[in-house]
Amino acid sequence: MDKNEKGATLSNTPNTIKNNTEAKLQNIPDVGKDINVILDFFRYVEETRLGASLRTGILLGSVCRYVDYLLKIGALQVVKIAPDKRTKHDAQYLSADVTKWQKPKFVQLSLFDKED
């Protein structure tokens, strides 16, 4: 293969094309950090998803995704459903504080009907 048949490489690119070899991967936001911010926020404040987004500065779509994941693993719980302060529509107020969580109602199930 001679010099003319080679594709564009770092050595023979025109000066007008800039090689982006100086990209810093540290500038990519850390997703784990954001979910920890949301979890810490709900430990101290009983708030809606919209309120968490506004007060933490994390995008609402990301907050909703993190909250759904935290609800699924049992780190958050819906404490009450009430009108939101900002939208006046019913919204879920969430908390990560275990003392505010509702206790599950224990019901003993029986396999057989009780005979009198």
Side-chain angles (χ1 to χ4, degrees), residues 45-63:
V45 180
E46 184 179 306
E47 188 61 75
T48 62
R49 297 172 196 221
L50 176 63
S53 173
L54 294 174
R55 292 178 69 180
T56 61
I58 300 172
L59 295 174
L60 182 60
S62 298
V63 170

Side-chain angles (χ1 to χ4, degrees), residues 2-113:
D2 65 358
K3 195 173 191 179
N4 293 335
E5 292 178 5
K6 289 184 181 177
T9 61
L10 292 178
S11 62
N12 64 0
T13 53
N15 292 334
T16 58
I17 299 174
K18 293 187 178 183
N19 295 323
N20 193 10
T21 58
E22 298 175 5
K24 296 182 181 178
L25 297 177
Q26 289 81 11
N27 291 338
I28 297 172
D30 186 13
V31 174
K33 180 180 174 186
D34 286 348
I35 198 167
N36 288 334
V37 168
I38 295 297
L39 184 60
D40 288 339
F41 175 78
F42 283 118
R43 280 196 182 118
Y44 301 107
V45 180
E46 184 179 306
E47 188 61 75
T48 62
R49 297 172 196 221
L50 176 63
S53 173
L54 294 174
R55 292 178 69 180
T56 61
I58 300 172
L59 295 174
L60 182 60
S62 298
V63 170
C64 291
R65 188 168 11 122
Y66 300 147
V67 166
D68 288 341
Y69 177 74
L70 292 170
L71 284 170
K72 186 170 31 172
I73 65 170
L76 281 181
Q77 191 179 56
V78 177
V79 179
K80 66 179 178 179
I81 297 176
D84 186 22
K85 303 168 196 171
R86 291 159 286 282
T87 63
K88 308 297 186 230
H89 291 281
D90 285 346
Q92 296 176 342
Y93 282 81
L94 304 155
S95 178
D97 187 8
V98 182
T99 59
K100 295 180 182 179
W101 287 6
Q102 298 173 359
K103 306 287 188 263
K105 296 177 182 175
F106 179 74
V107 177
Q108 178 66 43
L109 301 175
S110 77
L111 294 173
F112 307 103
D113 291 332

